[in-house]
Amino acid sequence: MSSIVAPTGITMGTGVPRLDPHAVRADFPILGVSARGKRLVYLDSAATSQKPRVVIDALCDYYSTSNGNIHRAVHYLSERATTLYDASRETVRRFINAPHVHEVVFTRGTTESINLVATSFGQAFVRAGDEIVVSQLEHHSNLVPWQLLADRAGAVLRFVPVQDTGELDMDAYRRLLSPRTRLVALGHVSNALGTINPAREISDAAHEVGAAVLLDGAQAAPHMEVDVQSLDCDFYAFSGHKMLGPTGVGVLYGRTSWLDRMPPYQGGGDMIDTVSEQGTTFAPLPSKFEAGTPDIAAVVAFAPAIGYLQRLGMEAVASHERDILAYATERLAEVRGTRVIGTARHKAGVLSFTMEGVHPHDIGTILDGEGVAVRAGHHCAQPLMRRFGVPSTARASFYVYTTREDVDAMIDALHVVRRVFG
Amino acid sequence: MSTDTGELYQEIILDHNRSPRNWGPLADASAHVKGHNPLCGDRLELFVRFDGDRVADVSFVGEGCAISKASASMMTQAIKGKSRAEAEALFERFHALVTGTGDAESQKSLGRLQVFSGVARLPMRVKCASLAWHALHEALQESAPNPSPPTDAR
């Protein structure tokens, strides 16, 4: 008889392994706290995820046993820190199936990853009259850097329109592409609506006109399998803190052929080869893009976060979130006057909604009083809010530790909102 | 409902949210100030007509949560007919109320506006409650008559 030892939270059976969120929850100390005297119901993982014990311990262990600066001294601690830091890079490489480890650049987060490309790629390749394609769906961090670049270079931003379902208009996208298109910068998953965009189709069409493709993966990498080779993108940006890791670490994956031809983003230590008064030759990839001392502890503790997700299995993670999303969408319909914004066929675990006669901020405050944490606001996506004619929405977002009981608690709290506002 | 939110969403606030008083633009306004909370996207426009030193009329339009709308509505009622100095003093006391820095006596003098005292326990909502008041503060400053030239004390 063969026996399979399943990791915490996973039940093996036929087909896709199922994730047991109740078992997962035991690994997250913060989920035991009470909020406003109630059981904490955390439905804001799209803003930042909570951290499992292994990640919290890794941060503590790093500072207790291994803290030194990387890639510098010959002493014991520097060597230890460097080994751990480089091991994290390899962990990330495997997680996204990047061909080469030097194509994984550590940044402070998705925002910095995108700004790096806007600055360095922009300097090398974007000229007056060139076009950059973005969409109405973007988080401000995948829009403002391109506006700044367009201003600097005299380039033009073109916007892919969004349909009523919250899906990109792919026909319009294809029509926007031309030999003038230098770069396509689109979200893989929308933070505000949860729409999963057809990333491979986006890449293929862009490459046909010779444009490079950047995917903002901040809301995708935490929730589904990401393989940069099968997506065939040129750049992929994401953050550690939305996928069980610490704040202060993000990733930019970039194809060698582009990264090699891009100038450094920032100058400083660790990114140089030799420096003289007259000039500097730069370090090879990825150090060229990692000036200064990074958040070493965060990078080191990011590895166990990825390890945790890999033990659960990204397929099981995605399937669990689909299940919770379907349940929440169905139950939300019970609450009078609610309207779901974003009804795409393929959605990640995000439920954005409005409630007739009640401003999302008031929903947020009353839910908070019941211990339920949701986001209320424009989700850093003001053009998208305007597209749907709402100033803001309430947003519940789900993750590996979200249970149906959490959804029930939110629905109960929404009934309280309804009672207050009539 | 939890005590804190129950204290905040009292009937008077809900009523002013449903039917805001002094709603709509003012044709002959002497001051027109736009307030914006970039954090949540709430917007408000305040119109004030001064008659000499007095707030002769005041109104607002905008889009925001119940707290910001009710606060604006109740503010217009509170300052109509007041002198500039009185309106400015109310702004100071209201600000102290919602940031939890005022004393009991100053709080009591606010009368019905004390209904917003619960905001002090919800720091994320202070901006909502004070959006209209900050617009008023700006309107008072913008439209202030030129200060009289310093007189020789001797």
Side-chain angles (χ1 to χ4, degrees), chain A residues 28-83:
Chain A
F28 290 74
I30 205 168
L31 297 177
V33 309
S34 65
R36 320 270 183 214
K38 306 275 170 73
R39 178 177 87 87
L40 170 69
V41 175
Y42 187 74
L43 298 177
D44 197 18
S45 290
T48 195
S49 72
Q50 298 303 344
K51 323 300 174 197
R53 173 70 72 194
V54 283
V55 170
I56 300 166
D57 286 350
L59 281 171
C60 195
D61 286 350
Y62 171 76
Y63 283 121
S64 307
T65 66
S66 312
N67 180 50
N69 212 333
I70 52 166
H71 304 143
R72 284 171 175 81
V74 292
H75 62 70
Y76 170 75
L77 285 177
S78 174
E79 181 189 301
R80 239 183 111 72
T82 304
T83 305

CSV table of all heavy atoms in Angstrom, one decimal, chain A residues 28-83:
chain,number,residue,atom,x,y,z
A,28,PHE,N,-1.8,30.8,10.3
A,28,PHE,CA,-1.8,32.3,10.2
A,28,PHE,C,-2.2,32.9,11.6
A,28,PHE,O,-3.3,33.1,11.9
A,28,PHE,CB,-2.7,32.8,9.1
A,28,PHE,CG,-2.3,32.5,7.7
A,28,PHE,CD1,-2.3,31.2,7.3
A,28,PHE,CD2,-1.7,33.5,7.0
A,28,PHE,CE1,-1.9,30.9,6.0
A,28,PHE,CE2,-1.3,33.2,5.7
A,28,PHE,CZ,-1.3,31.9,5.2
A,29,PRO,N,-1.1,33.3,12.4
A,29,PRO,CA,-1.4,33.7,13.8
A,29,PRO,C,-2.4,34.9,13.8
A,29,PRO,O,-3.3,35.0,14.6
A,29,PRO,CB,-0.1,34.2,14.3
A,29,PRO,CG,1.0,33.6,13.4
A,29,PRO,CD,0.3,33.2,12.1
A,30,ILE,N,-2.3,35.8,12.8
A,30,ILE,CA,-3.1,37.1,12.9
A,30,ILE,C,-4.6,36.8,12.7
A,30,ILE,O,-5.5,37.5,13.2
A,30,ILE,CB,-2.7,38.1,11.8
A,30,ILE,CG1,-3.0,39.5,12.2
A,30,ILE,CG2,-3.3,37.7,10.4
A,30,ILE,CD1,-2.4,40.6,11.3
A,31,LEU,N,-5.0,35.6,12.1
A,31,LEU,CA,-6.4,35.3,11.9
A,31,LEU,C,-7.1,35.0,13.3
A,31,LEU,O,-8.3,34.9,13.3
A,31,LEU,CB,-6.6,34.2,10.9
A,31,LEU,CG,-6.1,34.5,9.5
A,31,LEU,CD1,-6.2,33.3,8.6
A,31,LEU,CD2,-6.8,35.8,8.9
A,32,GLY,N,-6.3,34.9,14.3
A,32,GLY,CA,-6.8,34.6,15.6
A,32,GLY,C,-7.2,35.9,16.4
A,32,GLY,O,-7.8,35.9,17.5
A,33,VAL,N,-6.8,37.1,15.9
A,33,VAL,CA,-7.0,38.3,16.7
A,33,VAL,C,-8.5,38.7,16.5
A,33,VAL,O,-9.2,38.2,15.6
A,33,VAL,CB,-6.2,39.5,16.2
A,33,VAL,CG1,-4.7,39.2,16.2
A,33,VAL,CG2,-6.6,40.1,14.9
A,34,SER,N,-9.0,39.5,17.5
A,34,SER,CA,-10.4,39.9,17.3
A,34,SER,C,-10.3,41.4,16.9
A,34,SER,O,-9.4,42.1,17.2
A,34,SER,CB,-11.2,39.8,18.6
A,34,SER,OG,-10.6,40.6,19.6
A,35,ALA,N,-11.3,41.8,16.1
A,35,ALA,CA,-11.3,43.2,15.5
A,35,ALA,C,-12.6,43.8,16.0
A,35,ALA,O,-13.7,43.3,15.8
A,35,ALA,CB,-11.3,43.1,14.0
A,36,ARG,N,-12.5,45.0,16.7
A,36,ARG,CA,-13.7,45.6,17.3
A,36,ARG,C,-14.5,44.7,18.1
A,36,ARG,O,-15.7,44.7,18.1
A,36,ARG,CB,-14.5,46.2,16.2
A,36,ARG,CG,-13.8,46.9,15.1
A,36,ARG,CD,-13.5,48.3,15.3
A,36,ARG,NE,-12.9,48.9,14.1
A,36,ARG,CZ,-11.9,49.8,14.2
A,36,ARG,NH1,-11.6,50.3,15.3
A,36,ARG,NH2,-11.4,50.3,13.1
A,37,GLY,N,-13.8,43.8,18.8
A,37,GLY,CA,-14.5,42.8,19.7
A,37,GLY,C,-15.2,41.7,19.0
A,37,GLY,O,-15.9,40.9,19.6
A,38,LYS,N,-15.0,41.6,17.7
A,38,LYS,CA,-15.6,40.5,16.9
A,38,LYS,C,-14.5,39.6,16.3
A,38,LYS,O,-13.3,40.0,16.3
A,38,LYS,CB,-16.4,41.0,15.8
A,38,LYS,CG,-17.5,42.1,16.2
A,38,LYS,CD,-18.8,41.4,16.6
A,38,LYS,CE,-19.8,42.4,17.2
A,38,LYS,NZ,-20.4,43.3,16.3
A,39,ARG,N,-14.9,38.4,15.9
A,39,ARG,CA,-14.0,37.6,15.1
A,39,ARG,C,-13.5,38.3,13.9
A,39,ARG,O,-14.3,38.8,13.2
A,39,ARG,CB,-14.7,36.3,14.7
A,39,ARG,CG,-13.8,35.3,13.9
A,39,ARG,CD,-14.5,34.0,13.6
A,39,ARG,NE,-15.3,34.1,12.4
A,39,ARG,CZ,-14.9,33.8,11.1
A,39,ARG,NH1,-13.6,33.5,11.0
A,39,ARG,NH2,-15.7,33.9,10.1
A,40,LEU,N,-12.2,38.4,13.7
A,40,LEU,CA,-11.7,39.0,12.5
A,40,LEU,C,-12.0,38.2,11.2
A,40,LEU,O,-11.8,37.1,11.1
A,40,LEU,CB,-10.2,39.2,12.5
A,40,LEU,CG,-9.5,39.7,11.2
A,40,LEU,CD1,-9.8,41.1,10.9
A,40,LEU,CD2,-8.0,39.5,11.3
A,41,VAL,N,-12.7,38.9,10.3
A,41,VAL,CA,-13.0,38.3,9.0
A,41,VAL,C,-12.2,39.1,7.9
A,41,VAL,O,-12.6,40.3,7.6
A,41,VAL,CB,-14.5,38.3,8.7
A,41,VAL,CG1,-14.8,37.8,7.3
A,41,VAL,CG2,-15.2,37.5,9.8
A,42,TYR,N,-11.1,38.6,7.5
A,42,TYR,CA,-10.2,39.4,6.6
A,42,TYR,C,-10.5,39.1,5.2
A,42,TYR,O,-10.2,38.1,4.6
A,42,TYR,CB,-8.8,39.1,6.9
A,42,TYR,CG,-7.8,40.0,6.2
A,42,TYR,CD1,-7.7,41.3,6.6
A,42,TYR,CD2,-7.1,39.6,5.1
A,42,TYR,CE1,-6.8,42.2,6.0
A,42,TYR,CE2,-6.2,40.4,4.4
A,42,TYR,CZ,-6.1,41.7,4.9
A,42,TYR,OH,-5.3,42.6,4.2
A,43,LEU,N,-11.2,40.1,4.5
A,43,LEU,CA,-11.5,40.0,3.1
A,43,LEU,C,-10.9,41.1,2.3
A,43,LEU,O,-11.5,41.7,1.4
A,43,LEU,CB,-13.1,40.0,2.9
A,43,LEU,CG,-13.8,38.9,3.7
A,43,LEU,CD1,-15.3,39.0,3.5
A,43,LEU,CD2,-13.4,37.5,3.1
A,44,ASP,N,-9.6,41.4,2.6
A,44,ASP,CA,-8.9,42.4,1.9
A,44,ASP,C,-7.5,41.9,1.4
A,44,ASP,O,-6.5,42.7,1.4
A,44,ASP,CB,-8.8,43.7,2.8
A,44,ASP,CG,-8.4,44.9,2.0
A,44,ASP,OD1,-8.6,44.9,0.7
A,44,ASP,OD2,-7.9,45.9,2.6
A,45,SER,N,-7.4,40.7,1.0
A,45,SER,CA,-6.2,40.1,0.6
A,45,SER,C,-5.6,40.7,-0.7
A,45,SER,O,-4.4,40.6,-1.0
A,45,SER,CB,-6.3,38.6,0.5
A,45,SER,OG,-6.4,38.0,1.8
A,46,ALA,N,-6.5,41.3,-1.5
A,46,ALA,CA,-6.0,41.9,-2.7
A,46,ALA,C,-5.2,43.2,-2.4
A,46,ALA,O,-4.3,43.6,-3.2
A,46,ALA,CB,-7.1,42.3,-3.7
A,47,ALA,N,-5.4,43.7,-1.2
A,47,ALA,CA,-4.6,44.9,-0.8
A,47,ALA,C,-3.3,44.4,-0.2
A,47,ALA,O,-2.2,44.8,-0.7
A,47,ALA,CB,-5.3,45.7,0.3
A,48,THR,N,-3.4,43.4,0.7
A,48,THR,CA,-2.2,42.7,1.2
A,48,THR,C,-2.6,41.4,1.8
A,48,THR,O,-3.7,41.4,2.5
A,48,THR,CB,-1.3,43.6,2.1
A,48,THR,OG1,0.0,42.9,2.2
A,48,THR,CG2,-1.9,43.7,3.5
A,49,SER,N,-1.9,40.4,1.6
A,49,SER,CA,-2.3,39.1,2.2
A,49,SER,C,-1.7,39.0,3.6
A,49,SER,O,-0.8,39.8,4.0
A,49,SER,CB,-1.7,38.0,1.4
A,49,SER,OG,-0.3,37.9,1.6
A,50,GLN,N,-2.3,38.1,4.4
A,50,GLN,CA,-1.7,37.8,5.7
A,50,GLN,C,-0.5,36.8,5.6
A,50,GLN,O,-0.3,36.3,4.5
A,50,GLN,CB,-2.8,37.3,6.7
A,50,GLN,CG,-3.9,38.3,6.9
A,50,GLN,CD,-3.4,39.7,7.5
A,50,GLN,OE1,-2.2,39.8,8.0
A,50,GLN,NE2,-4.2,40.7,7.4
A,51,LYS,N,0.2,36.7,6.7
A,51,LYS,CA,1.5,35.9,6.5
A,51,LYS,C,1.4,34.6,7.4
A,51,LYS,O,1.1,34.7,8.6
A,51,LYS,CB,2.7,36.7,7.0
A,51,LYS,CG,2.7,38.2,6.6
A,51,LYS,CD,2.6,38.5,5.1
A,51,LYS,CE,2.4,40.0,4.9
A,51,LYS,NZ,1.9,40.2,3.5
A,52,PRO,N,1.9,33.5,6.8
A,52,PRO,CA,1.9,32.3,7.7
A,52,PRO,C,3.1,32.3,8.6
A,52,PRO,O,4.1,33.1,8.4
A,52,PRO,CB,2.1,31.2,6.6
A,52,PRO,CG,2.7,31.9,5.5
A,52,PRO,CD,2.3,33.3,5.5
A,53,ARG,N,3.0,31.5,9.6
A,53,ARG,CA,4.1,31.4,10.6
A,53,ARG,C,5.4,31.2,10.0
A,53,ARG,O,6.4,31.9,10.5
A,53,ARG,CB,3.7,30.3,11.6
A,53,ARG,CG,4.8,30.0,12.6
A,53,ARG,CD,4.9,31.0,13.7
A,53,ARG,NE,3.8,31.0,14.6
A,53,ARG,CZ,3.6,32.0,15.5
A,53,ARG,NH1,4.4,33.1,15.5
A,53,ARG,NH2,2.5,32.0,16.3
A,54,VAL,N,5.6,30.4,9.0
A,54,VAL,CA,6.9,30.1,8.4
A,54,VAL,C,7.5,31.4,7.9
A,54,VAL,O,8.8,31.5,7.9
A,54,VAL,CB,6.9,29.1,7.2
A,54,VAL,CG1,6.7,27.7,7.8
A,54,VAL,CG2,5.8,29.4,6.2
A,55,VAL,N,6.7,32.4,7.4
A,55,VAL,CA,7.3,33.6,6.9
A,55,VAL,C,7.7,34.5,8.0
A,55,VAL,O,8.8,35.1,8.0
A,55,VAL,CB,6.3,34.3,5.9
A,55,VAL,CG1,6.7,35.7,5.6
A,55,VAL,CG2,6.1,33.5,4.7
A,56,ILE,N,6.9,34.6,9.0
A,56,ILE,CA,7.2,35.4,10.2
A,56,ILE,C,8.4,34.9,10.8
A,56,ILE,O,9.3,35.7,11.2
A,56,ILE,CB,6.0,35.4,11.2
A,56,ILE,CG1,4.7,36.0,10.5
A,56,ILE,CG2,6.3,36.2,12.4
A,56,ILE,CD1,3.4,35.7,11.2
A,57,ASP,N,8.5,33.6,11.0
A,57,ASP,CA,9.7,33.0,11.6
A,57,ASP,C,11.0,33.2,10.7
A,57,ASP,O,12.1,33.5,11.3
A,57,ASP,CB,9.5,31.5,11.8
A,57,ASP,CG,8.6,31.1,12.9
A,57,ASP,OD1,8.2,32.1,13.7
A,57,ASP,OD2,8.2,30.0,13.0
A,58,ALA,N,10.8,33.2,9.4
A,58,ALA,CA,12.0,33.4,8.5
A,58,ALA,C,12.6,34.8,8.7
A,58,ALA,O,13.8,35.0,8.7
A,58,ALA,CB,11.6,33.1,7.1
A,59,LEU,N,11.7,35.8,8.9
A,59,LEU,CA,12.1,37.2,9.1
A,59,LEU,C,12.9,37.2,10.4
A,59,LEU,O,14.0,37.8,10.5
A,59,LEU,CB,10.9,38.1,9.2
A,59,LEU,CG,10.3,38.6,7.9
A,59,LEU,CD1,9.0,39.3,8.2
A,59,LEU,CD2,11.2,39.4,7.1
A,60,CYS,N,12.4,36.6,11.4
A,60,CYS,CA,13.0,36.6,12.8
A,60,CYS,C,14.3,35.9,12.7
A,60,CYS,O,15.3,36.3,13.2
A,60,CYS,CB,12.0,36.0,13.7
A,60,CYS,SG,12.4,36.4,15.4
A,61,ASP,N,14.3,34.7,12.1
A,61,ASP,CA,15.5,33.9,12.0
A,61,ASP,C,16.6,34.6,11.3
A,61,ASP,O,17.8,34.5,11.7
A,61,ASP,CB,15.2,32.6,11.3
A,61,ASP,CG,14.4,31.6,12.1
A,61,ASP,OD1,14.3,31.9,13.3
A,61,ASP,OD2,13.9,30.6,11.6
A,62,TYR,N,16.2,35.3,10.2
A,62,TYR,CA,17.3,35.9,9.4
A,62,TYR,C,18.0,37.0,10.3
A,62,TYR,O,19.2,37.0,10.3
A,62,TYR,CB,16.6,36.6,8.2
A,62,TYR,CG,17.6,37.5,7.5
A,62,TYR,CD1,18.6,37.0,6.7
A,62,TYR,CD2,17.7,38.9,7.7
A,62,TYR,CE1,19.6,37.7,6.1
A,62,TYR,CE2,18.6,39.7,7.1
A,62,TYR,CZ,19.6,39.1,6.3
A,62,TYR,OH,20.6,39.9,5.8
A,63,TYR,N,17.2,37.8,11.0
A,63,TYR,CA,17.9,38.8,11.8
A,63,TYR,C,18.6,38.2,13.0
A,63,TYR,O,19.5,38.7,13.6
A,63,TYR,CB,16.9,39.9,12.3
A,63,TYR,CG,16.6,40.9,11.2
A,63,TYR,CD1,15.3,41.0,10.7
A,63,TYR,CD2,17.6,41.6,10.6
A,63,TYR,CE1,15.0,41.9,9.7
A,63,TYR,CE2,17.3,42.5,9.6
A,63,TYR,CZ,16.0,42.7,9.1
A,63,TYR,OH,15.7,43.6,8.1
A,64,SER,N,18.1,37.0,13.5
A,64,SER,CA,18.7,36.4,14.6
A,64,SER,C,20.0,35.6,14.3
A,64,SER,O,20.8,35.4,15.2
A,64,SER,CB,17.7,35.4,15.3
A,64,SER,OG,16.5,36.1,15.6
A,65,THR,N,20.1,35.1,13.1
A,65,THR,CA,21.2,34.2,12.8
A,65,THR,C,22.0,34.5,11.6
A,65,THR,O,23.1,34.1,11.4
A,65,THR,CB,20.7,32.8,12.5
A,65,THR,OG1,19.9,32.7,11.3
A,65,THR,CG2,19.8,32.3,13.7
A,66,SER,N,21.5,35.4,10.6
A,66,SER,CA,22.2,35.5,9.3
A,66,SER,C,22.4,36.9,8.8
A,66,SER,O,22.8,37.1,7.7
A,66,SER,CB,21.3,34.7,8.3
A,66,SER,OG,21.0,33.4,8.8
A,67,ASN,N,22.1,37.9,9.6
A,67,ASN,CA,22.1,39.3,9.1
A,67,ASN,C,23.5,39.8,8.7
A,67,ASN,O,24.4,39.9,9.6
A,67,ASN,CB,21.4,40.2,10.1
A,67,ASN,CG,21.4,41.6,9.6
A,67,ASN,OD1,21.0,41.9,8.4
A,67,ASN,ND2,21.9,42.6,10.4
A,68,GLY,N,23.7,40.1,7.5
A,68,GLY,CA,24.9,40.7,7.0
A,68,GLY,C,24.6,41.3,5.6
A,68,GLY,O,23.5,41.1,5.1
A,69,ASN,N,25.5,42.2,5.1
A,69,ASN,CA,25.2,42.7,3.8
A,69,ASN,C,25.6,41.8,2.7
A,69,ASN,O,26.6,41.0,2.9
A,69,ASN,CB,25.8,44.1,3.6
A,69,ASN,CG,25.0,45.0,2.7
A,69,ASN,OD1,24.2,44.5,1.9
A,69,ASN,ND2,25.0,46.3,2.9
A,70,ILE,N,24.9,41.8,1.6
A,70,ILE,CA,25.1,40.8,0.6
A,70,ILE,C,26.2,41.2,-0.5
A,70,ILE,O,26.4,42.4,-0.7
A,70,ILE,CB,23.8,40.5,-0.2
A,70,ILE,CG1,23.2,41.8,-0.7
A,70,ILE,CG2,22.9,39.7,0.7
A,70,ILE,CD1,22.1,41.6,-1.7
A,71,HIS,N,26.8,40.2,-1.1
A,71,HIS,CA,27.6,40.4,-2.3
A,71,HIS,C,28.8,41.4,-2.0
A,71,HIS,O,29.3,42.1,-2.8
A,71,HIS,CB,26.9,41.0,-3.5
A,71,HIS,CG,25.7,40.2,-3.9
A,71,HIS,ND1,24.5,40.7,-4.3
A,71,HIS,CD2,25.5,38.8,-3.9
A,71,HIS,CE1,23.7,39.7,-4.6
A,71,HIS,NE2,24.3,38.6,-4.4
A,72,ARG,N,29.3,41.4,-0.7
A,72,ARG,CA,30.3,42.4,-0.4
A,72,ARG,C,31.5,41.8,0.4
A,72,ARG,O,32.5,41.5,-0.2
A,72,ARG,CB,29.7,43.6,0.5
A,72,ARG,CG,28.9,44.5,-0.4
A,72,ARG,CD,28.2,45.5,0.5
A,72,ARG,NE,27.5,46.6,-0.3
A,72,ARG,CZ,26.4,46.4,-0.9
A,72,ARG,NH1,25.7,45.3,-0.8
A,72,ARG,NH2,25.8,47.4,-1.6
A,73,ALA,N,31.3,41.5,1.6
A,73,ALA,CA,32.4,41.1,2.5
A,73,ALA,C,32.7,39.6,2.3
A,73,ALA,O,31.9,38.8,1.7
A,73,ALA,CB,32.1,41.4,3.9
A,74,VAL,N,33.8,39.1,2.8
A,74,VAL,CA,34.2,37.7,2.8
A,74,VAL,C,33.8,37.0,4.1
A,74,VAL,O,34.0,35.8,4.2
A,74,VAL,CB,35.7,37.5,2.5
A,74,VAL,CG1,36.1,38.0,1.1
A,74,VAL,CG2,36.5,38.2,3.6
A,75,HIS,N,33.2,37.8,5.0
A,75,HIS,CA,33.0,37.1,6.3
A,75,HIS,C,31.8,36.2,6.4
A,75,HIS,O,31.0,36.2,5.5
A,75,HIS,CB,33.0,38.2,7.5
A,75,HIS,CG,31.9,39.2,7.3
A,75,HIS,ND1,30.6,38.9,7.5
A,75,HIS,CD2,31.9,40.5,7.0
A,75,HIS,CE1,29.8,40.0,7.4
A,75,HIS,NE2,30.6,41.0,7.1
A,76,TYR,N,31.7,35.5,7.4
A,76,TYR,CA,30.7,34.4,7.6
A,76,TYR,C,29.3,34.9,7.4
A,76,TYR,O,28.5,34.3,6.6
A,76,TYR,CB,30.8,33.8,9.0
A,76,TYR,CG,29.7,32.9,9.4
A,76,TYR,CD1,29.6,31.6,8.9
A,76,TYR,CD2,28.7,33.3,10.3
A,76,TYR,CE1,28.6,30.8,9.3
A,76,TYR,CE2,27.7,32.5,10.7
A,76,TYR,CZ,27.6,31.2,10.2
A,76,TYR,OH,26.6,30.4,10.5
A,77,LEU,N,28.9,36.1,8.0
A,77,LEU,CA,27.5,36.5,8.0
A,77,LEU,C,27.2,37.0,6.6
A,77,LEU,O,26.1,36.8,6.1
A,77,LEU,CB,27.2,37.6,9.0
A,77,LEU,CG,27.1,37.1,10.4
A,77,LEU,CD1,26.8,38.2,11.4
A,77,LEU,CD2,25.9,36.0,10.6
A,78,SER,N,28.1,37.7,5.9
A,78,SER,CA,27.9,38.2,4.6
A,78,SER,C,27.6,37.1,3.6
A,78,SER,O,26.8,37.1,2.8
A,78,SER,CB,29.0,39.1,4.1
A,78,SER,OG,28.8,39.5,2.8
A,79,GLU,N,28.4,36.0,3.9
A,79,GLU,CA,28.3,34.8,3.0
A,79,GLU,C,27.0,34.2,3.2
A,79,GLU,O,26.3,33.8,2.3
A,79,GLU,CB,29.5,33.9,3.3
A,79,GLU,CG,29.5,32.6,2.5
A,79,GLU,CD,30.5,31.6,3.0
A,79,GLU,OE1,31.7,32.0,3.1
A,79,GLU,OE2,30.1,30.5,3.4
A,80,ARG,N,26.6,34.1,4.5
A,80,ARG,CA,25.3,33.4,4.8
A,80,ARG,C,24.1,34.2,4.2
A,80,ARG,O,23.2,33.7,3.5
A,80,ARG,CB,25.1,33.4,6.3
A,80,ARG,CG,24.9,32.0,6.9
A,80,ARG,CD,24.7,32.1,8.4
A,80,ARG,NE,23.3,31.7,8.7
A,80,ARG,CZ,22.9,30.4,8.6
A,80,ARG,NH1,23.7,29.5,8.2
A,80,ARG,NH2,21.6,30.1,8.8
A,81,ALA,N,24.2,35.5,4.4
A,81,ALA,CA,23.1,36.4,3.8
A,81,ALA,C,23.0,36.3,2.3
A,81,ALA,O,21.9,36.2,1.7
A,81,ALA,CB,23.3,37.8,4.3
A,82,THR,N,24.2,36.3,1.7
A,82,THR,CA,24.3,36.2,0.2
A,82,THR,C,23.7,34.9,-0.3
A,82,THR,O,22.9,34.9,-1.3
A,82,THR,CB,25.7,36.4,-0.3
A,82,THR,OG1,26.2,37.6,0.2
A,82,THR,CG2,25.8,36.4,-1.8
A,83,THR,N,24.1,33.8,0.4
A,83,THR,CA,23.6,32.5,0.0
A,83,THR,C,22.0,32.5,0.1
A,83,THR,O,21.4,32.0,-0.9
A,83,THR,CB,24.1,31.4,0.9
A,83,THR,OG1,25.6,31.5,0.9
A,83,THR,CG2,23.7,30.0,0.5
